[in-house]
Amino acid sequence: MLCLRHDLLINVMFNYLRNKGCEVYVDVNVSIPVKVTVKPIIGSCGKILFKRSMKNYGKVDLVAICGEKVIGYEVKSGFSDVVNAVSSGQLSSYASSGFFDEVYLVVPSVLCNEYVCKKVAKSYGHHLQESDIGLICVDASSGMPNTVIHAGKLVRNENIKPYLKVNEAYFKQEVIAYLRRLGYEVYTEVFIP
């Protein structure tokens, strides 16, 4: 069974969207509503302190401009990644950013015998629909994306101009696509002992 890791999932969607005629960008910074987090930490002498941090941007895996639509795709390769994205508000902050017309969560339909797509649809389908976030499951054997939940129409702020550029992550996807077309099985960010 083929394991669809994060970079391979991004590459499948990257190629799929480009083949549809969309302009595609990778790892795009997006301004999001300011989020303040407070974490307890142990200071000197065992004293408990609270560290505050503010975040006002996120990095979306893929942004596609298809005609007049700006669509964001956040890719997660495992169920625990989805749990973290939902509980941290990552997906809903992208949906409320005013940057996108639509936002999709992309997961594998099968990952090493773990049915990620079915788990996500069952556990978080209602939350995604309430937030107008769509769900796309990528089939491991065919590499084809399947829209399980259609994204709702978000309110894009016309005054927000996306800063889209070709970056290292974009070239990485180009190289992966090229090697896959040559018939290679591609692994990225591999630790070598």
Side-chain angles (χ1 to χ4, degrees):
M1 177 99 15
L2 176 65
C3 294
L4 288 175
R5 295 168 316 281
H6 188 259
D7 280 337
L8 187 53
L9 276 169
I10 290 174
N11 191 255
V12 167
M13 289 303 298
F14 178 82
N15 290 321
Y16 174 77
L17 293 166
R18 286 198 354 184
N19 289 340
K20 282 180 57 175
C22 300
E23 193 177 328
V24 185
Y25 298 89
V26 186
D27 282 349
V28 177
N29 287 327
V30 174
S31 295
I32 59 173
V34 175
K35 182 177 180 177
V36 178
T37 57
V38 179
K39 289 184 180 179
I41 58 171
I42 298 177
S44 61
C45 301
K47 188 176 180 181
I48 296 177
L49 305 170
F50 293 95
K51 181 180 176 184
R52 294 181 61 159
S53 61
M54 276 188 3
K55 186 173 182 181
N56 62 353
Y57 72 93
K59 191 173 276 201
V60 178
D61 289 317
L62 292 166
V63 173
I65 300 176
C66 304
E68 296 295 313
K69 284 186 178 180
V70 178
I71 306 169
Y73 297 89
E74 185 60 28
V75 177
K76 301 296 180 191
S77 58
F79 186 72
S80 60
D81 297 331
V82 174
V83 172
N84 290 335
V86 171
S87 64
S88 70
Q90 178 187 22
L91 298 171
S92 55
S93 66
Y94 294 158
S96 62
S97 68
F99 190 86
F100 300 108
D101 292 298
E102 296 175 357
V103 170
Y104 282 93
L105 169 63
V106 179
V107 298
S109 56
V110 178
L111 176 69
C112 300
N113 297 323
E114 180 185 349
Y115 291 90
V116 178
C117 181
K118 290 180 183 176
K119 282 184 181 179
V120 171
K122 183 177 180 182
S123 303
Y124 293 108
H126 185 70
H127 169 75
L128 295 174
Q129 288 175 323
E130 280 184 347
S131 303
D132 288 325
I133 299 168
L135 175 63
I136 294 176
C137 297
V138 178
D139 182 76
S141 56
S142 70
M144 287 303 297
N146 177 34
T147 303
V148 175
I149 299 173
H150 289 277
K153 176 83 170 112
L154 301 173
V155 179
R156 180 164 53 107
N157 184 340
E158 296 294 330
N159 294 324
I160 297 176
K161 299 297 179 205
Y163 179 66
L164 302 171
K165 62 179 180 169
V166 174
N167 55 15
E168 179 185 349
Y170 178 89
F171 286 114
K172 180 179 179 179
Q173 295 307 316
E174 287 281 12
V175 171
I176 292 170
Y178 174 74
L179 293 172
R180 288 181 69 214
R181 279 193 306 270
L182 291 177
Y184 291 101
E185 188 172 336
V186 181
Y187 298 92
T188 60
E189 306 289 332
V190 176
F191 292 105
I192 300 174

